[in-house]
Amino acid sequence: MIISELLSEATGLLESSSDSARLDAEILLCHLLQKDRAYLITWPDKELDSQTAESFQQLVQRRQTGEPVAYIIGQKEFWSLNLNVNPHTLIPRPETELLVEYILQHYPADRDIKLADLGTGSGAIALALASERSQWQIIATDQSNEAIKTAEHNAAQLKLNNIEFRQGSWFQPLADEAFDIIVSNPPYVAEHDEHLTQGDVRFEPQSALASGADGLNDIRLIADQARQHLHADGLLIIEHGYDQKDKIFDIFNSLGYKKILQLADIAKKPRVTLGYSPI
Ligand code: GLN
């Protein structure tokens, strides 16, 4: 079969399970051929041998069951860094770049900053910041040993060596250290939310998604304990769900955080809350 036929067949098969069927098919074929998308557009009539066509059809079948493209190809782009991902790590989402953007805009490269990224997963936030701020001291934690290994592997591949990775839950591996910035994309989905049993997220680690009855258990803990780990005027900045804005404002406010600000993503949904150390 030729490239264009394989792609239209796969797109048809994926249409009912994915809202980006054509793109998914192209990414899977690029991965298999180790070529970029321009290649597929330039050579639509290229004949592929039957073994390649069969391997492609197997990848498409995996995608049909809902397995995310990022896990099938083992990669996801974040902040223009190519990251290895696997089922031990959440797949980085574009909205998480909001956290990175705010920090970069407010903390210039010539400031000496000590930063903690809690629940780093594949390392996305820490690696994006390290790629822009080579002189900062960055510590990234995760309770999952497999996630830490993945993040370390990403750092090595990207040759970013100003991050120290530590395994442990939230502040546990940080003893009594203090930071200028604490950033986190914690789990924040309510544990019985039906969203967790649908589509691609079924393949992602529940521990990176769900957090107690209202989704706020980990955010409450982080906001509470961060006060003991922030320098004067230190920043706590976290991602959350679009419908948690008011509850998270109240959490930050009742814990004494100052200059609380809430940021919206490109869909104009409130997705980030930040505040400065009360002490
Ligand atoms: N945004 C993710 C989702 O909706 C949740 C990510 C998280 O809990 N940090 O699936």
Side-chain angles (χ1 to χ4, degrees), residues 90 93 95 185-189 195-196 201 204 208-210 239 271:
L90 192 80
R93 317 278 206 260
E95 57 267 26
N185 172 18
Y188 51 72
V189 181
H195 165 78
L196 295 173
V201 294
E204 294 186 280
L209 291 162
E239 178 177 318
R271 297 302 305 279

Side-chain angles (χ1 to χ4, degrees), residues 71 85-90 121-122 142 144 146-147 150 203-205 207-208:
Y71 287 157
V85 295
N86 57 55
H88 298 293
T89 64
L90 192 80
S122 62
D142 204 289
S144 156
E146 285 89 353
T150 307
F203 290 81
E204 294 186 280
S207 59

Side-chain angles (χ1 to χ4, degrees), residues 68-196:
V69 172
Y71 287 157
I72 300 175
I73 69 169
Q75 287 189 329
K76 178 75 186 181
E77 195 165 289
F78 181 82
W79 200 260
S80 65
L81 304 174
N82 212 1
L83 303 181
N84 296 293
V85 295
N86 57 55
H88 298 293
T89 64
L90 192 80
I91 299 166
R93 317 278 206 260
E95 57 267 26
T96 303
E97 294 184 354
L98 261 180
L99 298 164
V100 176
E101 270 164 28
Y102 182 90
I103 293 170
L104 292 177
Q105 273 165 14
H106 292 81
Y107 294 82
D110 57 8
R111 274 182 70 178
D112 273 337
I113 292 293
K114 187 170 173 184
L115 176 143
D117 171 21
L118 306 182
T120 195
S122 62
I125 297 171
L127 292 161
L129 290 167
S131 74
E132 302 281 348
R133 297 287 188 264
S134 56
Q135 73 291 14
W136 286 8
Q137 188 190 346
I138 298 176
I139 297 176
T141 73
D142 204 289
Q143 65 170 357
S144 156
N145 199 28
E146 285 89 353
I148 288 290
K149 276 194 233 148
T150 307
E152 277 175 339
H153 179 57
N154 281 325
Q157 231 172 38
L158 294 163
K159 300 192 171 49
L160 296 170
N161 43 28
N162 59 322
I163 310 177
E164 195 191 316
F165 294 97
R166 294 187 197 166
Q167 195 238 321
S169 179
W170 306 131
F171 293 98
Q172 189 208 311
L174 299 177
D176 53 5
E177 276 173 80
F179 299 87
D180 303 295
I181 302 172
I182 295 172
V183 58
S184 184
N185 172 18
Y188 51 72
V189 181
E191 64 191 351
H192 297 301
D193 191 320
E194 58 184 24
H195 165 78
L196 295 173

